[in-house]
Amino acid sequence: MTSNYYFATVSPTLLSLFFLFIFTTSPSTAALVAQQPLLLKYHNGTLLKGNVTVNLIWYGKFTPIQRSIIVDFLQSLNSATPPKPSVFTWWKTTEKYNSGGVGASTLVLGKQFLDEAYSLGKALKNSQIVYLAAKGGHAQRTVNVVLTAEDVAVDGFCRSRCGSHGATRGAARFAYAWVGNSAAFCPGYCAWPFHQPAYGPQSPPLVAPNGDVGVDGMVINLATVLAGTVTNPFRNGYFQGSAAAPLEAVSACTGVFGSGAYPGYPGSVLVDKSTGASYNAQGVNGRKYLLPAMWDPKTSQCTTIV
């Protein structure tokens, strides 16, 4: 048996409907809605602290450059070397999620498995995602991440989720996550803001910082599920709402990347003068990334690094 939590880079349309409700109701009603606090409650469960190994299962065909974009992002989470604003600075917010004492969740890249032959076909069920994730083993403080190529369909992909995380049950339980490349299926949903949104205001898309709309979109969703995994790995960590469909560290702040964000507009971010690419965090090997806002348990607010 497994438990699975679903997350997606929500389209600007859904956010627009939320804000439309707020701003078109009566002033008194709008005030009541606006005052609802965003509070991720700690439910007394286990968190993933200390050194956490991340094993990668590459399903389908990824180019070496695509794999390096993802690998460099993961290594950036544990590197204070790049100048601020950095991926490392962004990740340090997870230290504030604690169970009696502040503790870091240090992600360490583990093994990588390549399945370029599509051993289970090009249309996967969630049970098959778990099967693939098990290739990384069942060790404690391990997250096995399945990454699916742009020609692989997964149940719920592009309809209700762009990535997800969950955990198996029993004594040998392990945490796992999945993120798909949406370039061929739904870049306007899962790779926004690097592609025009599928619905809603058609503002010009941002230029992807690593020149790959699908993989740069994967980084956004990978950041989302990894933050959710370490702060709510077994459905009893930090979240708001239903345990079956929770708002977590990053999914509670969807669509926000820089200051001044509002539905359909990701906020003010940095722009690379030579390429015109948008980013808000610097990583190893000269990489730049656009990372979503994360809820800060000390301020009870969604926080961006620019």
Side-chain angles (χ1 to χ4, degrees):
M1 295 291 289
T2 65
S3 54
N4 198 59
Y5 323 111
Y6 297 84
F7 304 96
T9 300
V10 178
S11 70
T13 302
L14 298 179
L15 292 173
S16 298
L17 292 174
F18 173 72
F19 279 87
L20 181 65
F21 172 74
I22 291 178
F23 294 122
T24 57
T25 52
S26 67
S28 60
T29 304
L32 288 174
V33 173
Q35 290 174 2
Q36 294 299 312
L38 178 61
L39 179 62
L40 273 61
K41 180 182 177 182
Y42 176 50
H43 294 78
N44 301 314
T46 300
L47 308 180
L48 295 184
K49 294 294 184 180
N51 288 340
V52 179
T53 300
V54 178
N55 298 315
L56 300 179
I57 296 90
W58 301 92
Y59 189 83
K61 295 181 179 179
F62 290 86
T63 68
I65 293 176
Q66 288 177 323
R67 292 200 297 268
S68 69
I69 294 171
I70 298 291
V71 168
D72 285 349
F73 167 66
L74 291 173
Q75 293 180 330
S76 299
L77 294 169
N78 190 28
S79 175
T81 301
K84 296 181 179 180
S86 67
V87 175
F88 177 75
T89 301
W90 176 84
W91 183 254
K92 278 183 70 67
T93 300
T94 61
E95 292 184 17
K96 301 178 183 180
Y97 291 74
N98 60 80
S99 55
V102 176
S105 298
T106 303
L107 299 190
V108 179
L109 183 63
K111 299 177 181 179
Q112 298 188 57
F113 303 85
L114 300 182
D115 188 340
E116 295 182 313
Y118 304 89
S119 62
L120 301 179
K122 294 187 177 182
L124 302 180
K125 299 178 180 179
N126 190 63
S127 59
Q128 292 173 307
I129 293 294
V130 179
Y131 173 83
L132 291 170
K135 292 179 181 292
H138 297 193
Q140 293 185 342
R141 289 206 300 273
T142 293
V143 182
N144 298 327
V145 180
V146 179
L147 302 167
T148 51
E150 62 180 285
D151 54 351
V152 177
V154 178
D155 276 355
F157 189 29
C158 294
R159 297 192 304 274
S160 61
R161 58 177 180 162
C162 305
S164 62
H165 78 86
T168 58
R169 299 179 181 177
R173 69 181 181 180
F174 66 91
Y176 64 89
W178 157 77
V179 173
N181 186 332
S182 66
F185 293 128
C186 59
Y189 182 60
C190 291
W192 182 84
F194 303 129
H195 189 281
Q196 284 186 296
Y199 307 99
Q202 296 297 298
S203 56
L206 303 182
V207 177
N210 295 288
D212 191 312
V213 169
V215 175
D216 278 307
M218 289 182 77
V219 170
I220 293 173
N221 294 305
L222 180 58
T224 301
V225 297
L226 286 177
T229 299
V230 300
T231 59
N232 185 33
F234 305 115
R235 198 180 287 204
N236 54 9
Y238 281 86
F239 65 88
Q240 182 183 50
S242 166
L247 291 177
E248 296 184 333
V250 174
S251 63
C253 306
T254 188
V256 178
F257 297 90
S259 60
Y262 57 83
Y265 174 65
S268 298
V269 297
L270 303 175
V271 177
D272 187 298
K273 293 182 180 179
S274 62
T275 65
S278 294
Y279 69 99
N280 61 9
Q282 301 181 84
V284 301
N285 296 323
R287 293 285 186 193
K288 293 180 172 67
Y289 298 99
L290 188 67
L291 302 180
M294 189 184 305
W295 187 80
D296 188 327
K298 300 299 182 183
T299 63
S300 296
Q301 294 180 342
C302 291
T303 302
T304 61
I305 56 177
V306 297

